[in-house]
Amino acid sequence: MTLLAVTGPEVGSLDAMVPLELSDDLREFARASSIEELTKLAREVVLDPSYPTVRAWTRGGRGAVGCFPVYTPQELVHAVGLLPVSLHGGGESVEISHADAALGSFLCSISKSTLELALTARLAPFRAFVFPYICDVSRNLEGIFSRLLPGAVTHMLHLPQNFQSPATVPFLTAEYRRLLAKLEKAGGDPYRPERLAASIELFNQQRARIAELTRTKRNEPGKLTLTESYLIRRLGALLPREVHIQLLDRVRTELGERPNRAKDSIRVLLIGPFCEQPTLDLIDLVEQVGCYIVDDELLQLHRWYDRIEPGDDPLSSLAAAYVESPVDIGVRAAPSRKGEAILRRVEAAQAQGVIFLTAKFCEPALEDVVLYRKALDRQGIPYLHLEFEERSTSYEQTRLQLETFVESILFD
Amino acid sequence: MESAVAAEPKFLASAREQQRRMVEEYYEGLAHAGGPKKPVAYMLVGGNLTEIVRSFGYEVVFPEIVALNCAIKHVSLPNILHAESQGYGLDVCSYVKNDLGLQELGGETPFGRIPPPDLLVCSFSGCYVYVKWWEALAEKYGCPLFMLDVPYMRDDRPQAEDLQYLVSQLNEFIALLEKTTGRSFDLAELRRVLAQSRRAEEGWVDYLDSGRRRPSPIEAYFEAVFYMFPINVLRGTEAAATFYASVNAEVLERIETGRFPVPEEKFRLVVEGVPPYPSYRTFWDFFRKWGAVSVAATYPKVGGLFDRGFLHDPARPLESIAEYSLGAYVNQAWPLRRKLIEEYVRDFSADAVLIHGIKSCRSFTAGQGDLRDWLIHDLGIPTLYLESDHEDPRYFAPAQVKNRMDAFFESLAPRRRTPPVSMGTA
Amino acid sequence: MTLVAGVDIGSTTAKCVLLEEGKVIGKSLAPVGVELVKDAERALAQALTETGRERREVRVVTGTGYGRFKVTFGQFTLTEIGCHAKGSHFLFPATRVVLDIGGQDTKAIKVNDQGEVIDFAMNDKCAAGTGRFLDVCAGALGFDVSEIGPLSQGARHPVKVTNTCTVFAESEVASYVARGKDPRDILAGLYESVVSRSLSLLQRVGIEPEVTFTGGVSRNEGVVRALDRRLGYPSNVSSLSQYVGAIGAALHGLARAEAATT
Amino acid sequence: MISCGLDLGAGTTKGVLLEDGERVLASASVPTRGNPVERGRQVLELLVEEVNALPDDVEYLCTTGAARYAFPDRNLQVSDITASGRGAVFLNPATRHVVDIGNQSSRAMSVSETGRVVRFKMNEKCAAGAGRFVDRCAKYLQVPLEEMSPKALAAANPKIISSVCAVLAETEIINNVAEEVPLADILMGVYLSLAQRAYLLMRYVGIQPEVTLVGGLVRSEAMVRALERTAKVPVGAPPMGQHAAAIGAALLGYTRMQKLSAKPASPVVTA
Ligand SMILES: Nc1ncnc2c1ncn2[C@@H]1O[C@H](COP(=O)(O)OP(=O)(O)O)[C@@H](O)[C@H]1O
Ligand SMILES: Nc1ncnc2c1ncn2[C@@H]1O[C@H](COP(=O)(O)OP(=O)(O)O)[C@@H](O)[C@H]1O
Ligand code: SF4
Ligand code: SF4
Ligand code: SF4
């Protein structure tokens, strides 16, 4: 395989476009004075596969770490002075030509586009990559990265699935130490508990604000669109956390003044896209056809926990938080509880139906859908299952199905 | 050129017969199992805890093995289709679909009825789908599930904290078994069972090692898959312990009488990946026609990499079970997998590598493309990549597979790394 | 003086070449029907007629292509992969990579300096991006596939072909036509999509110059241009490009015949 | 009151006029040929002509089908799945399960007694499971489309096609021809392979009697037989089944029109 050989200009792709340039201190975000402006800027950042915010950050000699979703303890990365950034794939703009060869045909888009970005030097701003064992694909991807990017530090983080054993927290704490050792290799500062405690507190603040944003969407769904909520949240793992917290405060103030424009839409729970993210067009479409997404599984990373108490030993507190109190999603074992869980969530969100939006080939998500379906069928709650891929540009069939779903609830 | 007629595959005659009987007896035994008297534990092959469970009197069902038996017998498709009608998509591992479909349809197979589980033991070793699969079984049956979390192997040797974590989970597992069966744990019995396991493992390793000879007296993929059954399913029993002695006796006989898996060994292969069970024979025949024999393979090691130095040790019962779980082939990170394959090619003087990718198994398959790339371009080892499925007959297109295979062997002939062993004229 | 023949029975067309003294002295091309054995015989007969030679003068006949086993009158059969490699090496000795796009599949083949296959990758399962794809789409535009090659010349805003399915792409093309899109832009979009699918196969074997483009689709200059643009350098395309498989087969046969005489 | 339902399908454009939500006054269809808007207008003209009415007599027009948004002179648009569910129940009120096989897609749905779609599943992105496959086979085998079904019904040992791709299946069919498989067996194999795909969708949704086939394939008795044979349930095939979605659209248009006249100025929901 020839590395880094981007061949010719790619028609219709973003490669042909000038990547967004941001100032080193990301002042643009400070200047964004309204949600509209902020989401416009966010859209540009999200659609630019060359990670402009990260390049801006690293220009000053600072280091960044790419974290594959989900459950990577980004607090740890932050605590050693590196910028934790979520790798959320390539979206609609990255054409896959190198990654297919390494990965094979039957894999989710996020794995392919992430590798494609790496092989076309667009992940150059990162010094290290962390892949959590959330599924076999993420895990194996680390093995491929370690070979194809010999210059970068890569780490596969084993996430435990036994949540009963008293030995799990000590094990995970040891796992986190292994990660710390790798981060140090990537230029991170040596681990100091008090810095981790401070990072945990900072992330707590970010999470609290995001929780508030998602509560608003649930209680007053006409106040902001799913796309807005999504873009604002998505920035949370692309910007320094301190900057994002300020943005969220501004958003909160503005939302306080926005009217809750009620539409004749149905209240829907959006389950499944916890790892690979749907394209912005698809996220738009889901509400456009007449849904209010009152709760979703997009970008779980800001929402695993309510709050983590750093305690005396923040490292094991962080480990304990993963073992004891996170949100359950498809990549965390919860035997015998899946059916119940979905019903509780429907109830909590007062949803009229559920849309399963799962990444094509994402096996953990696909397998849960069956268990969820059974429980929903028992209660007669309508649902729709759709699969998505990053590079789809035509949503005719998706739109058709979404409309049918909405019509089946709205028309009697 | 491929030879015009391919001889029928000849197994080690009486060992194969013995193996058949063992399989039959096993499934007959299952038909009467279940309930408090003879409780049934479901287990996964990778990193399984057969010895412990057996020492508590459980019968063991391996749904993966049941699934592959269904596929070889061409009865997997109805189960798969049933699971798809329940909502399992096209891209879900078809072992899972075969099993869950079979469960829903009542568990009847041509080799007997598979009893429902009284206990689910999930050894999360090397495949995340294991977790999802067992979750679904737990949701269906509501029986207890023990999750053995096996850290992924990223370094050559197991780390102390990994072993500690595993041993402590094993102790918890034993406590659970004591509680559910009302029996107390018998360390002496476990040691005895482990000693039996070790005998079987030693015999299995001898069998596998004979692939080093030229010509190879064994077929280390297609044939070895049959002999995996005792090592995976019946480990710890007397039957498994003695089985490999008869296998190896026959291997010797083959060497003496010159009856080899292919009449004329032209190509020696290392094979990586799960076999295409629904078209096992067809696939194998394609190879035989070209005089190709597998001399080593990774798949027969999914139940344990015994041939790389690990053997169960009755003197360190729990520690060695922990090491065993860590060492399953799929639990090895890619750098370790790559190294193993490279060693096989060298140690077994192979000419080429065959990779068989499974469309619905991401655990094994994600990254095989990169492996292929590395073998061909970095190591210069001719490699053929083929893709189908391990359970779903809809994904095997014989004409396409044959075309690729023919092209590969045509091109391999002039590039062979080692001169062919000739026992006649071409 | 040895006269040998290569007969390539593809999914779409039957090709035959006659080779003598390292030169192609005759050839024939016809669509395949349902009776492949007859098609094969006819291909050879036609090439012979064209050159005025007799069947009995032909030393060796070698069959290749999907229907190679239907060349029942031949002495050898070989897969088209090996033949395209050999044929490309014969026409362009510096070939390292062959891209063969035929009627229903696409192959990328890596070859060494002897024209031997080192590695190959091919698509299957789906007709998207193959010759058939272009045949069907050409039909939707009201052309024959042999005419559309030059017509993308001058395209300014290539359309994006969103449907990868051959059948649906056909209707997509039809709807572009209905919307009054410039056929040049539609064709350019189609070529782009064919090339981008082939590139990912080429990446599988590793791209290095020289790249030789063979198979029926290489006769389409629009696809060739799109490929060259993406490669960043020109690919080799011979006027005999659709016959490369048959040439390779003939060469293999020749080698065999020579090996037998010495 | 007259409402019109226009089904702007990928293969065929169909329309009906419905009186008071009860009686079908007229129906028409023309091949779409990539120009749905033009064909829609044409169908509308044909409909109006058939009942000797004026275009203005059509009080409400509801579009459905792939190009439902493209047709400018509409009052409402609904998805073709919603519409064909309604239409199927209109055509046979006992229907609880609808299979709709059209030119580009096939769907299965379970429906309530009012024709509301309760659950549905459609094939995605691959032509191997839709009417287009039959059309191509017809072309390839040089059998007129109308004769495909009658010929297939004579099959003694249908030869099921294993290729997953509609295009590559043609090669397989050629091989079958070469191997002298009787034409009838090949043709029935085509329908059976469609039926097998539809059956997967049906099972996902859950099969409940009565099952009704709608969409263009309803015109082929062989398709009905193939479905029955595969799904092992009786399958109804209403003569107007190809117009089911158009009828459903007209019905929904009628309901909407009534609501509007009861309660003025409610905005159109889906946009
Ligand atoms: N004159 C031509 N100009 C452009 N394309 C052509 C021409 N002739 C054939 N083709 C293309 O080549 C394809 C057939 O390629 P070929 O290599 O002969 O296929 P196969 O070997 O599979 O039969 C046709 O499907 C068509 O798309
Ligand atoms: N006269 C006919 N005889 C048999 N089949 C027909 C006939 N007319 C149409 N069909 C079948 O119906 C399909 C079109 O179905 P239809 O439901 O109208 O499609 P769409 O709504 O997608 O345009 C055609 O592809 C063809 O297979
Ligand atoms: S999208 Fe699903 S399969 Fe892919 S990496 Fe994420 S969790 Fe794994
Ligand atoms: S390793 Fe592969 S085949 Fe085995 S259970 Fe996991 S996904 Fe399925
Ligand atoms: S998508 Fe189209 S071209 Fe591809 S397999 Fe399906 S029918 Fe064939």
Side-chain angles (χ1 to χ4, degrees), chain A residues 136 363, chain B residues 44 64 93-96 126-130 133 274 330 358 360-364 390:
Chain A
D136 301 320
E363 205 164 355
Chain B
L44 291 147
E64 289 156 288
C93 167
S94 43
Y95 269 171
V96 176
C127 171
Y128 193 78
V129 172
Y130 281 3
W133 187 351
V274 186
V330 259
I358 300 291
S360 71
C361 168
R362 279 149 273 271
S363 175
F364 240 98
H390 53 346

XYZ file of all heavy atoms in Angstrom, chain A residues 136 363, chain B residues 44 64 93-96 126-130 133 274 330 358 360-364 390, ligand 4:
200
model
N -15.324 -5.202 18.030
C -14.162 -5.817 17.418
C -13.524 -4.923 16.370
O -12.333 -5.011 16.102
C -14.573 -7.155 16.801
C -15.159 -8.074 17.865
O -14.619 -8.083 18.984
O -16.161 -8.742 17.580
N -22.446 -3.890 14.389
C -23.074 -5.065 14.959
C -23.631 -4.846 16.363
O -24.749 -5.273 16.646
C -22.081 -6.228 14.929
C -22.808 -7.527 14.920
C -21.944 -8.698 14.510
O -20.781 -8.482 14.145
O -22.462 -9.817 14.570
N -18.771 -20.360 25.221
C -18.171 -19.953 23.949
C -16.822 -20.639 23.825
O -16.167 -20.901 24.843
C -18.021 -18.448 23.941
C -19.404 -17.787 23.865
C -19.444 -16.488 24.615
C -19.814 -17.607 22.416
N -21.500 -22.167 19.135
C -20.682 -21.999 17.922
C -20.500 -23.342 17.219
O -20.557 -23.436 15.994
C -19.292 -21.458 18.268
C -19.270 -20.015 18.717
C -18.046 -19.744 19.575
O -17.997 -20.215 20.722
O -17.131 -19.074 19.102
N -23.302 -11.455 12.767
C -22.569 -12.728 12.721
C -23.558 -13.874 12.554
O -24.494 -14.019 13.330
C -21.774 -12.925 14.010
S -21.158 -14.623 14.205
N -23.334 -14.701 11.548
C -24.342 -15.713 11.274
C -24.249 -16.918 12.214
O -25.149 -17.736 12.227
C -24.346 -16.117 9.800
O -23.061 -16.273 9.316
N -23.214 -17.012 13.021
C -23.265 -17.974 14.131
C -24.403 -17.569 15.063
O -25.175 -18.396 15.515
C -21.967 -17.916 14.941
C -20.876 -18.868 14.511
C -19.607 -18.765 15.062
C -21.112 -19.892 13.602
C -18.591 -19.629 14.703
C -20.098 -20.756 13.242
C -18.835 -20.621 13.792
O -17.824 -21.475 13.441
N -24.425 -16.303 15.350
C -25.446 -15.781 16.259
C -26.821 -16.038 15.666
O -27.736 -16.510 16.350
C -25.245 -14.257 16.478
C -26.360 -13.691 17.345
C -23.886 -13.978 17.090
N -11.856 -12.142 23.082
C -11.516 -11.976 21.685
C -12.639 -11.628 20.752
O -12.406 -11.368 19.585
N -13.870 -11.641 21.194
C -14.921 -11.266 20.259
C -16.025 -10.544 21.008
O -16.593 -11.100 21.957
C -15.465 -12.499 19.544
S -16.938 -12.116 18.591
N -16.326 -9.336 20.583
C -17.345 -8.564 21.277
C -18.750 -9.120 21.045
O -19.645 -8.952 21.867
C -17.287 -7.077 20.876
C -18.118 -6.267 21.832
C -17.613 -5.960 23.093
C -19.411 -5.881 21.527
C -18.374 -5.298 24.019
C -20.182 -5.213 22.446
C -19.662 -4.920 23.695
O -20.422 -4.277 24.620
N -18.896 -9.777 19.909
C -20.207 -10.353 19.598
C -20.614 -11.374 20.662
O -21.796 -11.561 20.933
C -20.156 -10.988 18.193
C -21.412 -11.777 17.891
C -19.955 -9.898 17.158
N -19.618 -12.005 21.278
C -19.916 -12.915 22.381
C -20.832 -12.235 23.398
O -21.795 -12.824 23.867
C -18.627 -13.316 23.100
C -17.789 -14.375 22.428
C -18.135 -14.910 21.204
C -16.651 -14.862 23.060
C -17.345 -15.894 20.612
C -15.856 -15.843 22.483
C -16.211 -16.352 21.254
O -15.431 -17.330 20.688
N -24.364 -11.662 21.994
C -25.032 -12.946 21.799
C -25.573 -13.441 23.143
O -26.736 -13.819 23.276
C -24.000 -13.906 21.216
C -24.445 -15.238 20.775
C -25.663 -15.832 20.963
C -23.639 -16.185 20.061
N -25.652 -17.079 20.415
C -24.426 -17.329 19.852
C -22.324 -16.166 19.584
C -23.942 -18.446 19.180
C -21.853 -17.280 18.912
C -22.648 -18.416 18.710
N -11.770 -18.262 9.505
C -12.808 -19.249 9.784
C -13.205 -19.909 8.465
O -13.295 -19.244 7.444
C -14.026 -18.546 10.419
C -15.071 -19.547 10.864
C -13.584 -17.665 11.586
N -8.145 -15.479 18.783
C -8.801 -14.191 18.494
C -8.588 -13.166 19.585
O -8.950 -12.004 19.428
C -10.330 -14.291 18.300
C -10.691 -14.275 16.847
C -10.947 -15.422 19.047
N -14.562 -13.718 6.564
C -15.968 -14.024 6.829
C -16.726 -12.712 6.842
O -16.434 -11.841 7.647
C -16.117 -14.703 8.197
C -15.329 -16.002 8.252
C -17.578 -14.918 8.538
C -15.872 -17.095 7.400
N -19.531 -11.846 7.898
C -20.270 -11.436 9.086
C -19.458 -11.569 10.371
O -19.998 -11.459 11.441
C -21.588 -12.213 9.184
O -21.350 -13.558 9.510
N -18.178 -11.795 10.249
C -17.348 -11.886 11.465
C -16.292 -10.796 11.447
O -15.268 -10.920 10.802
C -16.658 -13.236 11.571
S -15.378 -13.285 12.842
N -16.577 -9.738 12.151
C -15.633 -8.625 12.157
C -14.448 -8.895 13.070
O -13.349 -8.393 12.866
C -16.342 -7.333 12.554
C -17.072 -6.739 11.371
C -18.315 -5.976 11.728
N -19.430 -6.869 11.783
C -20.197 -7.164 10.738
N -19.981 -6.598 9.584
N -21.181 -8.022 10.852
N -14.691 -9.717 14.056
C -13.633 -9.987 15.014
C -12.409 -10.596 14.326
O -11.287 -10.136 14.494
C -14.170 -10.946 16.074
O -13.147 -11.313 16.943
N -12.661 -11.622 13.560
C -11.583 -12.265 12.839
C -11.116 -11.432 11.654
O -9.956 -11.351 11.325
C -12.091 -13.608 12.285
C -11.327 -14.782 12.788
C -11.809 -15.532 13.842
C -10.123 -15.115 12.217
C -11.091 -16.621 14.314
C -9.410 -16.197 12.683
C -9.891 -16.958 13.734
N -19.155 -18.089 7.112
C -18.954 -19.349 7.816
C -20.242 -20.138 8.012
O -20.206 -21.299 8.382
C -18.259 -19.122 9.154
C -18.916 -18.096 10.033
N -19.864 -17.214 9.574
C -18.753 -17.812 11.336
C -20.234 -16.433 10.573
N -19.589 -16.773 11.648
S -15.430 -14.598 16.394
Fe -16.605 -14.109 14.544
S -17.716 -15.948 14.078
Fe -17.070 -16.090 16.219
S -18.792 -15.261 17.365
Fe -17.338 -13.632 17.009
S -18.130 -12.609 15.188
Fe -19.073 -14.625 15.258
